[in-house]
């Protein structure tokens, strides 16, 4: 007998220690600020912020606030649901905020997802988007409710 799969069910609640860098980023979201940090050697700007530059291996110390706008570099649409997730269909995009060297993954709304054949034309690379803030913010990534085309 050849057993190749096994069904496993985990239903876990857990707390994540954010550390100083991610903690500061999340605290900024409460105040409707998107905080990033810059590498002192190569000047790359990280959002979400990183404690160390992934290229130079030096500590990133300089903090700055980025505007809540940027461009869509790439996106995908989820057509299937999973437990705990949003109701499909929904779009998730890699967004390069103005002034950032890296991309932030987040939801994009304000796009008609009813016809899969027309979605690509609505979010071509370079589409300008703006953060839409949640009414109630608690220091979570969803303090930015989503991004919307400008």
């Amino acid at each position: 007998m050849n057993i190749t799969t096994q069904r496993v069910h985990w239903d876990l609640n857990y707390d994540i220690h954010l550390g100083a860098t991610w903690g500061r980023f999340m605290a900024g979201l409460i105040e409707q600020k998107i905080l990033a940090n810059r590498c002192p050697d190569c000047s790359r700007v990280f959002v979400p912020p990183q404690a160390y530059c992934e290229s130079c291996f030096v500590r990133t110390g300089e903090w700055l606030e980025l505007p809540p706008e940027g461009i869509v570099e790439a996106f995908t649409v989820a057509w299937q649901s999973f437990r705990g997730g949003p109701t499909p269909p929904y779009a998730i995009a890699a967004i390069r905020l103005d002034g950032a060297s890296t991309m932030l993954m987040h939801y994009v709304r304000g796009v008609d997802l009813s016809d899969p054949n027309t979605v690509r034309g609505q979010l071509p690379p370079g589409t300008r988007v703006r953060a839409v803030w949640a009414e109630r913010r608690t220091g979570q990534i969803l303090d930015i409710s989503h991004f919307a085309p400008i």
Side-chain angles (χ1 to χ4, degrees):
M1 179 186 304
N2 186 10
I3 299 174
T4 59
T5 63
Q6 182 177 44
R7 184 171 298 274
V8 176
H9 170 81
W10 291 354
D11 193 0
L12 302 172
N13 292 316
Y14 54 93
D15 295 326
I16 299 171
H17 177 71
L18 297 177
T21 303
W22 271 79
R24 186 169 180 180
F25 174 68
M26 294 299 178
L29 295 179
I30 293 172
E31 300 175 11
Q32 296 184 336
K33 295 179 180 179
I34 301 175
L35 299 178
N37 56 16
R38 184 186 331 261
C39 174
D41 286 2
C42 71
S43 298
R44 289 181 71 208
V45 175
F46 299 100
V47 62
Q50 298 182 25
Y52 289 86
C53 177
E54 60 192 26
S55 299
C56 303
F57 306 108
V58 298
R59 189 153 185 69
T60 55
E62 180 188 355
W63 284 84
L64 54 149
E65 182 180 348
L66 296 183
E69 296 181 3
I71 61 168
V72 171
E73 294 282 352
F75 77 95
T76 190
V77 175
W79 301 101
Q80 299 296 318
S81 64
F82 62 93
R83 188 171 4 143
T87 302
Y90 56 91
I92 297 176
I95 299 164
R96 187 179 312 275
L97 294 173
D98 295 343
S101 304
T102 58
M103 290 173 274
L104 177 68
M105 301 297 290
H106 215 303
Y107 297 113
V108 174
R109 295 193 186 129
V111 178
D112 181 5
L113 301 176
S114 63
D115 182 357
N117 296 315
T118 64
V119 174
R120 185 177 299 153
Q122 296 178 66
L123 277 178
T127 299
R128 299 274 313 155
V129 292
R130 176 181 294 130
V132 176
W133 296 96
E135 189 172 310
R136 182 174 171 267
R137 294 173 304 283
T138 60
Q140 305 281 326
I141 193 63
L142 289 178
D143 286 355
I144 301 173
S145 168
H146 61 278
F147 283 80
I150 297 175

